[in-house]
Amino acid sequence: MPDILEKLGPVHLPLIGNSVAVGIFSLLHIAFASLAVGFIFIAPVFELMERENRFNTKAAYALTRFTLITFTASTVLAVIMIELFVGLFPLTNIFVFNRFRYPIYLAVAAFFLLLFSLYPYYHYWEPIRRRSRRLHLVLGFLAAFFVLVWVTILDGIGSYMLTPTVGQGSDRGLFNPTWIPLVIHRFFGNFVFGGFAIAAYAGWMLGRRKGHPDEPYYLYLLKVGFLIGLAALLIQPFTGLLYATQIRSAAPQAFRQVVEGRYDLLVYLQFTIIALLFIGSHLLLIAARTEERGFLPVLREARLGQRGALWGEGALLLSAIFIVVFATHPWVRRFFTLVLVVLSAYYVYQWRHDLSAARSERLNQPTVRRIAVTLGILGLLIYWTMGTIRETARRPDTVRGIISLQEEARTPKFLTGGETPESTGTPPQKGGTLNHPEPRG
Amino acid sequence: MPFQPLNIPITWGRIAIAVAALSHALFATFIVGTSVIGALVATINYRTRKERWGRLAHMIAFTLALTTGTISFMGVVLVFSLNVFWPHFWSTLFRIMFWPFLLEAGFFLGEAVFAYAWYYGWAWTLAPDRRRGFHLSFAWLAAGSSLIAMFMIDITASYMLTPAPPETFWPRIFNPTMIRLDVHRFFGNLVWAGFALAGISAIGALRAKRGEDRAHYLWGGRFFFAIGFGALLVMPFIGFLYLRQIRYTEPQVFFTLMLGSRSWLFDLVALFYGLLVVVGSFYIYKMVKSNPTRPASFDSYMPISLGAVILAAIVFALPYHLQHIPFVHHITHLQVNPFGKMQPNKYLSASVLVFLGLVSWIYYLSAFRGMGVREETAAPLRPDRTAPRLLITLAVLSILIYLVMGYSRETARATNGYLIYDMIRLTDERPTYPGTAQGTALAQKKR
């Protein structure tokens, strides 16, 4: 086989390059996949709480419908991503699939069962509910369980590529230092994006259907989506801290590369988006308390004459600015993040009644709708930025310390039993490996 | 961090890939055929604005949405299986066929997007304005995308059997059997999708509780049958051209399939083909008889035709080399059956099957309008269950013939030790399994 491959040479995608090509499809895939995972969890919970609010069942159905509609597109994007991986990074592909074959068997089985629970859950919604509401709920929660198994295993593979273990068994790769932290971080991340996406959709629909009979439904959706997104956002700094700590202890060079390396701009971008998410959420809370229109009147109406507003909200705003300014100084940044989280949680608690009591005249106004849509977009951007950071942290390796980009760039020399790319005699290349990192600049 | 050989026999890997590939191909080809038929039905619905065509189109769209979701999962399983069980072969094939593979996935994505837009945007069919036309375009775009995706994957499938030097681009794409396989698959997909949709309609008819629903499903079954049976009659001609090209390009494959150790698979294909024509003819007989205004000649033609078709189907399925049929040596020590010769017996029987099938099909089409009148005017006391069962039988037979054909093509390579003919051997995958590694067939030739 190498004979054939030597004749053909490796594939180099023109203009964008191999890594960017895989990256584009990964990002497109996770935009749908993260929403689907979040919605698969949220939908049965909505349905379970149908007696709490008459709109809950409708919302559960709509979320599942979205998941089903985007399901195939998301899956095919993943297939394209893997195919690019096979064609552009054959060494890494073979290595990863070989190493994780048993978890992959389990993941495929979980995916298969996911289909068998999700499809009847949506396509036979009414017939099953007529027969047994409990059975329908069981199907919904089973789908959530199977999708959790699926993403947990995929996170295991993704985390291994950054912090690989040295165990020999095929299943040992999963138990790498950053696996569980990544699973937790992504789990809540799905709700940040999912919640804000629901709010954004509701905001967009409210703008299109003012005075429509569905208006109360979208108002409810906006409030609930916003609260889901904000609640998960308040948790994320802690799960992120756990994840970052694990990366630093398991792969200090990767951590340093992220924070101080050539891609540190991405970290600034990440914390800018996080700060905007907090500020945007706070602005939406303020806007929900007044019937004024426009940002400045809203701020004036809600803020002037209130004792402590200057200090509390000034501190919130400053903390948001400081987490960006000190993005590459972890301890300072963490302090301000904590302040930001505490203050945001305080204001949500204080104004919870205002938000739940807010009706059309307060929520269905351009300011709120625009903030909601912006939060949805920011939710997607933060997902993409974080995903990109995690991938760039591995550079110049594809599997950190095991396979380098440079090895992939040469004509593939396939592994045989008991070999590694390094043991096949690949000399250190310009790109370097973990022990010989690529020089900056 | 060593690369770990799989601690299983290579046969397990072959079985895993065969199961993943065949199940994937079965659904994929169904989607291609269904999307084309769906676009056709949607167009008729668009032009006629008749409710029953709309209902039929909706049924197809729903089926397409479900199977598209399933096939995307099957695709994941196939890609994962190839990565795990045939990593060397898969990486090499992918390198050779990088762009066709990517384009195939891209066009399948297009099919999924348009098919979903078609199904989930069904409310647009009721719109009075341009949106109705837009909605119809989704059906055709889905069909077009799926056909191009099929074209792309056929490039790879045909290349594996009749490859060209990997470093030449166009010969790689338009390898000797590429076009023939593509045409063969196009009509094969129409057969399979037509009979499968007829089978689904038949199940709907058997399960229907209202007479109106039953009549609709029976009518739908008749329509789909017409497509499936019509395409079935074209298949022997295309199959002949395809096999002839294989004979010229890779004679070893041809002889393996026609006279060698895998010739029993061709006999099995012939058996299923004959059965499809026979069962189809019975269905035609039953349906045309239900039309009171049928041509007078039909009543005298059809019994003779049925007898001749049964006889031809038996001859067409007769094996020539008995010793290649598994377990037959327990029954007889004869090595050759002279009646199973291709020239002239099987050619003649195939001609009889096609010719009489064509005449029956023409009778069927001419009597189509008058069929099932009683079903639609009054609910029968005892609904007819034979016709739906015949349609279900046809659907099952079309699945079987599809699987056997797919298996024949793949095993014709593997029997001779190749994964890509004359280029990559099965033994090249040895490093994945415990054992010794050997060079490629090409490499061995060079040495």
Side-chain angles (χ1 to χ4, degrees):
Chain A
M1 264 170 290
D3 304 35
I4 301 164
L5 294 172
E6 272 164 24
K7 281 182 183 174
L8 291 170
V11 186
H12 290 295
L13 284 185
L15 298 174
I16 53 173
N18 294 358
S19 298
V20 176
V22 177
I24 287 171
F25 281 95
S26 309
L27 294 180
L28 286 173
H29 164 66
I30 63 167
F32 291 113
S34 57
L35 277 185
V37 173
F39 289 174
I40 289 174
F41 274 98
I42 296 170
V45 175
F46 265 132
E47 194 192 350
L48 185 69
M49 295 165 65
E50 67 179 333
R51 292 193 181 95
E52 312 287 321
N53 191 297
R54 66 195 165 105
F55 295 128
N56 276 344
T57 314
K58 189 176 177 180
Y61 186 80
L63 293 181
T64 315
R65 180 182 166 88
F66 175 87
T67 307
L68 263 283
I69 290 175
T70 56
F71 179 81
T72 302
S74 165
T75 313
V76 180
L77 283 169
V79 168
I80 296 177
M81 180 185 79
I82 296 172
E83 289 195 345
L84 282 169
F85 206 54
V86 177
L88 303 176
F89 301 97
L91 270 180
T92 310
N93 176 66
I94 286 185
F95 182 77
V96 166
F97 273 90
N98 175 262
R99 180 143 193 85
F100 286 94
R101 58 189 183 279
Y102 294 120
I104 283 170
Y105 299 154
L106 179 63
V108 168
F111 201 100
F112 189 64
L113 293 170
L114 166 68
L115 283 181
F116 272 87
S117 43
L118 190 62
Y119 270 68
Y121 181 69
Y122 174 74
H123 286 293
Y124 298 95
W125 187 282
E126 276 311 317
I128 295 176
R129 273 171 63 88
R130 268 201 302 273
R131 185 170 289 181
S132 164
R133 179 176 167 263
R134 188 173 291 176
L135 173 65
H136 193 253
L137 277 170
V138 166
L139 282 174
F141 281 110
L142 273 177
F145 171 73
F146 292 130
V147 86
L148 183 64
V149 174
W150 170 254
V151 295
T152 300
I153 291 170
L154 294 193
D155 284 347
I157 299 173
S159 57
Y160 175 87
M161 290 168 81
L162 182 60
T163 54
T165 48
V166 289
Q168 295 294 310
S170 154
D171 55 335
R172 298 301 302 165
L174 274 187
F175 297 95
N176 65 80
T178 57
W179 178 34
I180 297 301
L182 178 62
V183 171
I184 297 170
H185 192 53
R186 271 204 172 168
F187 180 77
F188 287 103
N190 292 331
F191 293 117
V192 174
F193 180 30
F196 285 139
I198 293 171
Y201 169 71
W204 181 60
M205 292 304 281
L206 281 171
R208 290 181 67 205
R209 299 189 172 189
K210 200 149 191 177
H212 193 272
D214 278 343
E215 193 182 12
Y217 166 67
Y218 289 114
L219 286 172
Y220 174 73
L221 217 53
L222 191 147
K223 280 192 259 186
V224 175
F226 169 68
L227 283 176
I228 292 171
L230 182 58
L233 182 68
L234 293 175
I235 297 169
Q236 276 300 69
F238 302 103
T239 63
L241 177 64
L242 174 69
Y243 183 42
T245 310
Q246 283 300 106
I247 294 176
R248 194 171 65 171
S249 84
Q253 282 180 318
F255 185 80
R256 267 204 304 279
Q257 180 166 304
V258 168
V259 178
E260 300 162 11
R262 63 199 293 191
Y263 303 107
D264 59 356
L265 267 180
L266 285 172
V267 178
Y268 282 105
L269 179 63
Q270 175 194 352
F271 283 100
T272 305
I273 297 170
I274 292 173
L276 287 173
L277 278 170
F278 275 102
I279 293 171
S281 301
H282 190 71
L283 284 175
L284 197 143
L285 277 174
I286 293 172
R289 301 181 68 215
T290 173
E291 290 169 26
E292 286 288 340
R293 287 163 180 246
F295 277 110
L296 288 176
V298 162
L299 285 173
R300 205 167 39 239
E301 171 77 10
R303 316 281 9 106
L304 287 180
Q306 291 186 19
R307 184 177 290 181
L310 188 65
W311 287 106
E313 292 181 74
L316 190 146
L317 183 64
L318 276 178
S319 302
I321 293 169
F322 284 149
I323 66 167
V324 180
V325 173
F326 295 106
T328 55
H329 298 79
W331 285 108
V332 185
R333 188 193 66 223
R334 282 169 196 163
F335 170 75
F336 285 111
T337 308
L338 184 65
V339 173
L340 192 58
V341 169
V342 170
L343 284 172
S344 293
Y346 168 76
Y347 282 113
V348 176
Y349 182 75
Q350 281 292 96
W351 296 343
R352 66 190 185 282
H353 297 302
D354 292 326
L355 183 67
S356 65
R359 295 280 175 266
S360 175
E361 60 279 5
R362 288 190 182 176
L363 285 180
N364 196 1
Q365 52 169 305
T367 315
V368 175
R369 293 199 303 261
R370 282 173 198 154
I371 296 173
V373 172
T374 309
L375 284 174
I377 295 167
L378 288 172
L380 174 62
L381 289 178
I382 190 68
Y383 217 100
W384 278 354
T385 310
M386 286 191 173
T388 310
I389 288 174
R390 195 166 58 87
E391 300 307 305
T392 52
R394 292 200 309 262
R395 290 177 80 90
D397 297 339
T398 53
V399 179
R400 194 156 179 84
I402 295 176
I403 303 174
S404 74
L405 281 170
Q406 209 56 37
E407 283 158 345
E408 284 284 10
R410 295 183 311 115
T411 300
K413 181 176 187 294
F414 289 106
L415 303 172
T416 54
E419 284 183 347
T420 68
E422 283 182 336
S423 71
T424 55
T426 308
Q429 301 291 322
K430 184 186 163 195
T433 60
L434 181 65
N435 299 325
H436 309 280
E438 185 181 20
R440 287 192 68 186
Chain B
M1 208 65 54
F3 173 81
Q4 299 157 350
L6 307 182
N7 296 317
I8 52 171
I10 196 167
T11 314
W12 288 32
R14 292 178 67 178
I15 292 170
I17 296 297
V19 170
L22 282 177
S23 53
H24 172 79
L26 198 65
F27 277 95
T29 48
F30 176 79
I31 285 175
V32 177
T34 303
S35 62
V36 173
I37 296 172
L40 186 71
V41 172
T43 308
I44 298 172
N45 176 45
Y46 181 80
R47 298 291 293 264
T48 62
R49 290 176 184 262
K50 282 188 178 167
E51 191 262 335
R52 68 177 179 180
W53 285 106
R55 192 175 170 188
L56 203 64
H58 188 260
M59 184 192 107
I60 297 174
F62 176 64
T63 312
L64 205 55
L66 276 188
T67 45
T68 299
T70 312
I71 193 62
S72 60
F73 165 71
M74 298 284 193
V76 170
V77 174
L78 180 60
V79 170
F80 279 20
S81 304
L82 285 163
N83 270 323
V84 172
F85 296 109
W86 300 104
H88 297 74
F89 156 72
W90 175 228
S91 299
T92 310
L93 179 66
F94 204 93
R95 175 61 196 93
I96 297 169
M97 288 289 157
F98 181 77
W99 290 109
F101 269 126
L102 273 194
L103 287 172
E104 189 270 336
F107 278 102
F108 180 68
L109 179 65
E111 189 275 334
V113 169
F114 293 123
Y116 275 44
W118 186 42
Y119 174 66
Y120 289 103
W122 204 257
W124 283 19
T125 52
L126 305 172
D129 52 15
R130 282 183 193 170
R131 276 186 292 179
R132 213 167 154 257
F134 268 126
H135 187 258
L136 175 65
S137 72
F138 292 149
W140 279 108
L141 285 167
S145 301
S146 66
L147 280 174
I148 298 173
M150 179 193 80
F151 184 80
M152 292 298 155
I153 209 67
D154 284 350
I155 291 172
T156 308
S158 55
Y159 182 86
M160 285 160 69
L161 195 61
T162 54
E167 61 273 23
T168 55
F169 184 76
W170 289 113
R172 224 187 319 164
I173 303 298
F174 292 102
N175 63 76
T177 56
M178 192 261 151
I179 295 295
R180 283 162 183 83
L181 175 64
D182 216 43
V183 178
H184 193 250
R185 276 203 171 169
F186 176 80
F187 282 97
N189 294 340
L190 286 182
V191 174
W192 156 220
F195 285 148
L197 288 170
I200 292 168
S201 302
I203 292 168
L206 290 173
R207 288 169 57 98
K209 291 189 172 63
R210 296 188 309 158
E212 186 191 337
D213 292 338
R214 189 182 307 112
H216 173 77
Y217 284 123
L218 288 173
W219 168 78
R222 287 197 293 273
F223 173 76
F224 293 132
F225 169 82
I227 294 174
F229 197 78
L232 180 73
L233 300 175
V234 188
M235 291 301 285
F237 296 107
I238 308 163
F240 170 76
L241 293 174
Y242 181 39
L243 267 172
R244 197 176 62 165
Q245 189 59 45
I246 292 175
R247 182 183 193 170
Y248 294 150
T249 317
E250 294 292 355
Q252 194 182 19
V253 174
F254 179 81
F255 284 102
T256 303
L257 273 179
M258 300 305 291
L259 297 167
S261 60
R262 290 292 184 266
S263 57
W264 62 274
L265 283 171
F266 180 79
D267 296 327
L268 207 54
V269 169
L271 173 69
F272 288 133
Y273 185 84
L275 282 173
L276 279 168
V277 176
V278 169
V279 177
S281 298
F282 267 109
Y283 182 77
I284 290 174
Y285 180 59
K286 192 155 179 52
M287 285 295 103
V288 178
K289 281 277 273 186
S290 74
N291 184 351
T293 58
R294 65 185 176 276
S297 58
F298 180 80
D299 288 350
S300 50
Y301 158 78
M302 205 59 202
I304 299 167
S305 169
L306 274 173
V309 161
I310 290 170
L311 190 67
I314 292 169
V315 175
F316 194 39
L318 284 178
Y320 181 62
H321 280 290
L322 294 175
Q323 81 270 23
H324 291 314
I325 303 173
F327 309 113
V328 160
H329 65 278
H330 292 301
I331 303 165
T332 177
H333 295 296
L334 281 176
Q335 296 215 333
V336 167
N337 164 29
F339 297 108
K341 276 197 78 175
M342 198 73 203
Q343 181 76 281
N345 301 357
K346 289 199 177 189
Y347 280 123
L348 201 64
S349 56
S351 306
V352 169
L353 285 171
V354 172
F355 178 73
L356 293 181
L358 181 66
V359 175
S360 304
W361 188 61
I362 292 168
Y363 269 121
Y364 181 80
L365 292 183
S366 64
F368 189 80
R369 275 174 183 274
M371 290 176 197
V373 173
R374 275 181 301 176
E375 294 157 8
E376 288 167 23
T377 50
L381 288 175
R382 276 189 174 181
D384 172 34
R385 302 180 85 82
T386 313
R389 282 174 183 161
L390 285 173
L391 290 181
I392 293 170
T393 309
L394 285 169
V396 173
L397 284 171
S398 61
I399 291 176
L400 291 175
I401 196 170
Y402 212 103
L403 292 178
V404 175
M405 274 195 184
Y407 179 63
S408 308
R409 199 164 52 84
E410 300 307 307
T411 194
R413 289 198 317 263
T415 304
N416 297 319
Y418 289 106
L419 287 167
I420 298 178
Y421 223 83
D422 212 19
M423 195 178 281
I424 299 178
R425 283 186 174 277
L426 271 168
T427 47
D428 289 332
E429 202 57 69
R430 283 279 178 223
T432 312
Y433 300 85
T436 53
Q438 294 179 23
T440 62
L442 202 67
Q444 283 169 353
K445 265 188 187 176
K446 273 176 65 179
R447 282 186 212 118

